[in-house]
């Protein structure tokens, strides 16, 4: 069982930056692939970024590639999402998720554990 708690969301102007954190409970955190997803009002949840359990392999949605960076610190049971050059279209609730499959994945059905989400609002 893994419990996830996101933090770091907020209101920022376009072009600004935010760093999201996701703290995980559970002694086997290092064996989970981790992902970030987001959901805007009236839209489906979409993939943002994912990272393999080793931290050496990452994957990004095209819409955030070059602007967002996912990382993890297994010693702290925490995964991060550094978001730079934010745009109004990045506004959404951001969720972190954990997958017992050690490979990173864009498929949200591969993730068994989800946090409660943190709101990110980017003003124009």
């Amino acid at each position: 069982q893994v419990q996830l708690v996101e933090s770091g969301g907020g209101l920022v102007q376009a072009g600004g930056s935010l760093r999201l954190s996701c703290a995980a409970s559970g002694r086997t955190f290092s064996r989970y692939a981790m992902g970030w997803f987001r959901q805007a009002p009236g839209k489906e949840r979409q993939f943002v970024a994912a990272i393999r359990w080793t931290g050496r392999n990452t994957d990004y949605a095209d819409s955030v590639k070059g602007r967002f960076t996912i990382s993890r610190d297994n010693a702290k049971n925490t995964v991060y999402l550094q978001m730079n050059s934010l745009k109004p279209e990045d506004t959404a609730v951001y969720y972190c998720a954990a997958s017992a499959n050690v490979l990173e994945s864009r498929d949200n059905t591969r993730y068994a554990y989800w946090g409660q989400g943190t709101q990110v609002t980017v003003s124009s």
Side-chain angles (χ1 to χ4, degrees):
Q1 189 78 9
V2 176
Q3 292 184 327
L4 306 172
V5 179
E6 302 99 333
S7 61
L11 173 64
V12 64
Q13 288 188 332
S17 299
L18 283 174
R19 188 193 196 200
L20 305 184
S21 298
C22 174
S25 64
R27 293 175 292 177
T28 59
F29 169 79
S30 62
R31 301 181 65 180
Y32 286 81
M34 300 295 296
W36 285 96
F37 293 78
R38 66 187 182 187
Q39 188 166 18
K43 295 187 177 182
E44 292 186 352
R45 190 169 297 188
Q46 65 174 188
F47 168 76
V48 175
I51 188 166
R52 197 171 296 189
W53 70 277
T54 60
R56 295 195 186 103
N57 297 79
T58 57
D59 187 24
Y60 297 92
D62 288 345
S63 59
V64 307
K65 198 171 294 184
R67 300 188 297 123
F68 291 11
T69 302
I70 188 171
S71 62
R72 65 190 296 162
D73 185 337
N74 287 341
K76 295 182 178 180
N77 280 11
T78 302
V79 63
Y80 305 97
L81 185 68
Q82 177 67 44
M83 305 185 296
N84 298 328
S85 302
L86 283 161
K87 304 175 181 179
E89 51 264 43
D90 294 318
T91 295
V93 177
Y94 283 70
Y95 299 89
C96 73
S99 172
N101 186 328
V102 295
L103 300 182
E104 68 282 9
S105 175
R106 297 186 173 204
D107 182 355
N108 61 11
T109 65
R110 303 295 297 272
Y111 294 84
Y113 305 103
W114 293 82
Q116 82 289 350
T118 185
Q119 176 70 46
V120 171
T121 303
V122 184
S123 62
S124 57

